[in-house]
């Protein structure tokens, strides 16, 4: 009790967490409502202690209210994956730190001297675009016969290539430390996503042969009409060959058909044949077919007898032709 009175709560403002290690819940014989009410009461007390310590921290005034900076957390929480390692500084960051250069936020819209209006700094229809300049003023240092527009395009291409080389160099340095960006880690199959570098797996000779065989047989003809390289072996058959039973019975494979038929008959004649063959269903099907056949025969016999009882239709008289009489003599 003395310890509980001295330090009842442990507060970690970095994680906004508080807990009482000395508190003991009542026995299990108490009702559920009592336990819930006590948990709510203790939780409210812990939240009040966190709020009191937050208001005791130094704060800065803002339009939304006072702002405080939380101290570093003191409780280590479990984590599924390790923390990502910090990326090494790039060449420009090292140079800027050495010279004391600080990054400042640039405006997205700048003034365009050509059109006399405000345009975007980057992107489509940007301000002061070199490609949209119709006239370039000549300088005293310009060499005669050199196209200034082509020179500008070449300089821009060189700048882009230099930036790509610097980017690759920065990625190589980050790979040595094991702190590649997440999008690069997803693209690189040899490196895991956890931020640690793993040794690349060596490809064996069989794997290379399998890949070469897949590439050779990826055509519509299965590589039948492709040109073979010197020393290239034929591709291995990946699937299973379909086997057919021989037509003529004999020894070895020829006896498989007889074995199959005997196996089926033995299953039908075995003690548990009633589980395989439903005898009641077979008898019912036989009776239904027999009754259907009898009904068809009765229908045919009744139709034949009704046709015999029907009177013959009177023959229709044909009209006489002109110049002929009933007796067939001409008038």
């Amino acid at each position: 009790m003395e310890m509980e009175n001295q330090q009842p709560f442990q507060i970690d403002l970095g994680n906004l967490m508080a807990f009482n290690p000395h508190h003991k819940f009542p026995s299990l014989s108490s009702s559920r409502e009592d336990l819930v009410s006590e948990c709510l009461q203790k939780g409210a007390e812990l939240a009040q202690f966190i709020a009191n310590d937050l208001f005791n921290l130094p704060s800065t005034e803002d339009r939304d209210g006072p702002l405080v900076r939380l101290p570093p957390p003191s409780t280590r929480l479990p984590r599924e994956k390790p923390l990502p390692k910090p990326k090494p500084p790039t060449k420009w960051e090292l140079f800027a730190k050495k010279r004391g250069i600080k990054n400042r936020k640039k405006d997205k819209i700048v003034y365009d001297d050509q059109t006399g209006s405000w345009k975007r700094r980057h992107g489509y229809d940007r301000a002061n675009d070199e490609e949209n300049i119709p006239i370039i003023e000549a300088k005293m240092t310009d060499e005669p016969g050199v196209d200034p527009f082509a020179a500008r395009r070449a300089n821009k291409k060189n700048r882009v290539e230099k930036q790509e080389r610097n980017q690759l160099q920065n990625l190589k340095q980050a790979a040595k430390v094991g702190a590649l960006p997440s999008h690069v880690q997803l693209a690189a199959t040899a490196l895991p996503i956890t931020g640690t570098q793993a040794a690349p797996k060596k490809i064996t000779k069989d794997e290379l042969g399998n890949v070469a065989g897949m590439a050779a047989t990826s055509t519509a003809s299965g590589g039948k009409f492709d040109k073979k390289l010197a020393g290239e072996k034929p591709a291995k058959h990946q699937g299973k060959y379909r086997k057919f039973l021989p037509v003529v019975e004999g020894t070895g494979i020829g006896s498989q058909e007889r074995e199959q038929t005997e196996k089926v008959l033995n299953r039908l004649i075995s003690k548990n044949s009633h589980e395989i063959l439903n005898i009641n269903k077979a008898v019912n099907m036989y009776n239904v077919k027999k009754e259907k056949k009898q009904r068809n025969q009765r229908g045919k016999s009744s139709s034949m007898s009704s046709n015999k009882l029907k009177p013959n239709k009177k023959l229709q008289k044909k009209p006489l032709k002109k110049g002929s009489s009933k007796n067939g003599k001409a008038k």
Side-chain angles (χ1 to χ4, degrees), residues 89-103:
T90 60
K91 293 176 65 177
W92 165 250
E93 291 175 352
L94 294 174
F95 177 77
K97 185 177 180 180
K98 184 179 180 181
R99 295 296 181 91
I101 302 173
K102 296 182 179 180
N103 293 331

Side-chain angles (χ1 to χ4, degrees), residues 300-312:
K300 289 181 181 180
S301 61
S302 60
S303 62
M304 290 175 64
S305 61
S306 61
N307 291 334
K308 290 180 181 179
L309 294 174
K310 285 182 181 180
N312 296 329

Side-chain angles (χ1 to χ4, degrees), residues 62-80:
D62 190 72
R63 64 179 183 179
D64 297 329
L67 298 178
V68 296
R69 183 179 294 277
L70 297 177
S74 59
T75 305
R76 297 187 63 182
L77 299 177
R79 183 181 171 91
E80 181 184 0

Side-chain angles (χ1 to χ4, degrees), residues 88-154:
T90 60
K91 293 176 65 177
W92 165 250
E93 291 175 352
L94 294 174
F95 177 77
K97 185 177 180 180
K98 184 179 180 181
R99 295 296 181 91
I101 302 173
K102 296 182 179 180
N103 293 331
R104 59 184 179 86
K105 189 175 181 180
K106 296 182 180 179
D107 297 331
K108 294 183 179 179
I109 298 176
V110 294
Y111 184 76
D112 188 11
D113 298 331
Q114 301 177 17
T115 59
S117 60
W118 294 87
K119 291 186 177 181
R120 303 184 188 90
R121 183 183 294 273
H122 305 287
Y124 174 74
D125 194 18
R126 61 182 178 272
N128 302 322
D129 190 4
E130 297 179 354
E131 298 180 358
N132 294 334
I133 298 176
I135 299 174
I136 300 176
E137 296 181 2
K139 298 179 181 179
M140 297 297 294
T141 57
D142 293 343
E143 297 181 2
V146 177
D147 187 3
F149 296 98
R152 284 197 172 189
R153 288 193 294 269

Side-chain angles (χ1 to χ4, degrees), residues 176-206:
K176 292 179 181 179
V177 182
L180 281 175
S182 60
H183 64 280
V184 179
Q185 290 178 3
L186 290 173
T189 56
L191 296 177
I193 307 176
T194 56
T196 57
Q197 186 177 8
K201 181 182 177 182
K202 294 184 178 180
I203 302 176
T204 61
K205 183 179 179 181
D206 296 336

Side-chain angles (χ1 to χ4, degrees), residues 248-264:
V248 181
E249 186 178 356
T251 59
I253 300 177
S255 61
Q256 288 185 0
E257 185 175 2
R258 183 173 60 187
E259 293 177 359
Q260 288 183 359
T261 54
E262 289 179 355
K263 186 177 180 181
V264 174

Side-chain angles (χ1 to χ4, degrees), residues 47-68:
Q48 186 63 43
F49 270 84
I50 294 174
N52 295 339
D53 287 2
L54 284 176
F55 279 98
N56 293 331
L57 293 175
S59 61
T60 57
E61 292 297 331
D62 190 72
R63 64 179 183 179
D64 297 329
L67 298 178
V68 296

Side-chain angles (χ1 to χ4, degrees), residues 220-235:
S221 61
K224 183 178 180 181
F225 303 102
D226 295 344
K227 293 182 179 179
K228 303 294 182 182
L229 299 175
E232 183 179 359
K233 297 181 180 179

